[in-house]
């Protein structure tokens, strides 16, 4: 068993009544290595100026976590299979909509990885599809959510 933590901090502004719903949603996430990330609600959820568009919102972080976990698992599998990956870039997109219970949810995440391989050994599309399928099956984050995650391989 492993444990993972983060410190989430928010402070009401002196000029904010709070009970009128007119308060900043800006806050921070701090991780064990000392990295501090400015966070906020999404402007799609809480309108400006009460959200901070430049900060990371939970929905973006959720999509990034799924993408990052998939990528790290894919890289491990590709190395194990003897493929040399030069670069990996994913333009992942999450869709928030009403789920089957009628609740707003990130129901789908589409991973769109563009991977450059080096060396003589190059995977074909069937091998890429298998590596991505296996990465999805073994990704800790994907195994932890109900969201439908699909991979759209870019070349």
């Amino acid at each position: 068993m492993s444990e993972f933590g983060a410190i989430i901090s928010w402070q009401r502004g002196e000029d904010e009544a709070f009970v009128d719903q007119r308060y900043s949603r800006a806050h921070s996430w701090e991780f064990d290595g000392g990295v501090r990330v400015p966070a906020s609600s999404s402007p799609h959820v809480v309108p400006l100026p009460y959200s901070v568009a430049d900060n990371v919102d939970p929905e973006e972080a959720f999509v990034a976590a799924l993408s990052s976990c998939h990528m790290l698992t894919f890289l491990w599998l590709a190395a194990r299979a003897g493929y040399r990956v030069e670069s990996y870039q994913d333009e992942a997109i999450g869709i928030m909509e009403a789920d089957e219970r009628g609740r707003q949810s990130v129901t789908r995440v589409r991973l769109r990885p563009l991977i450059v391989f080096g060396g003589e050994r190059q995977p074909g599309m069937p091998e890429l599809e298998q590596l991505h399928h296996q990465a999805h099956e073994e990704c800790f984050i994907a195994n932890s959510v109900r969201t439908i995650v699909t991979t759209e391989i870019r070349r």
Side-chain angles (χ1 to χ4, degrees), residues 6 11 17 21 23 28 33 37-38 60 78-79 81 90 99 105 125:
Q11 179 70 47
Q21 297 291 320
Y23 59 91
S28 66
V37 177
E60 291 170 325
D90 186 3
D99 64 13
S105 175
M125 188 55 79

Side-chain angles (χ1 to χ4, degrees), residues 130-148:
Q130 177 56 36
L131 284 168
H132 281 293
H133 174 75
Q134 190 174 357
H136 177 72
E137 290 296 313
E138 297 191 32
C139 170
F140 307 142
I141 305 298
N143 286 328
S144 302
V145 300
R146 298 181 314 121
T147 301
I148 297 168

Side-chain angles (χ1 to χ4, degrees), residues 13 23 32 39-40 43 52 54 59 71-72 86 111 121 124 128 144:
Y23 59 91
D32 59 1
S40 175
V52 181
D54 291 342
E59 296 82 8
M71 178 196 71
L72 292 168
E86 299 292 338
L111 306 178
R121 191 149 191 261
L128 273 176
S144 302

Side-chain angles (χ1 to χ4, degrees), residues 41-116:
S41 57
S42 168
H44 297 288
V45 177
V46 176
L48 301 171
Y50 306 111
S51 289
V52 181
D54 291 342
N55 292 10
V56 176
D57 62 64
E59 296 82 8
E60 291 170 325
F62 178 72
V63 171
L66 278 166
S67 174
S68 181
C69 184
H70 182 92
M71 178 196 71
L72 292 168
T73 307
F74 180 93
L75 293 174
W76 171 69
L77 292 167
R80 195 173 73 177
Y83 298 114
R84 189 174 80 206
V85 177
E86 299 292 338
S87 64
Y88 184 115
Q89 181 185 36
D90 186 3
E91 295 178 2
I93 298 185
I95 305 298
M96 189 160 72
E97 60 191 353
D99 64 13
E100 70 279 357
R101 301 168 299 168
R103 296 181 180 166
Q104 286 298 303
S105 175
V106 178
T107 59
R108 294 175 283 145
V109 172
R110 185 172 64 242
L111 306 178
R112 300 182 58 236
L114 177 61
I115 305 162
V116 176

Side-chain angles (χ1 to χ4, degrees), residues 12-33:
R12 182 182 63 83
E14 286 185 31
D15 61 338
E16 296 173 335
F18 184 75
V19 294
D20 62 0
Q21 297 291 320
R22 295 175 183 232
Y23 59 91
S24 175
R25 273 49 168 205
H27 59 283
S28 66
W29 302 339
E30 190 173 341
F31 299 95
D32 59 1

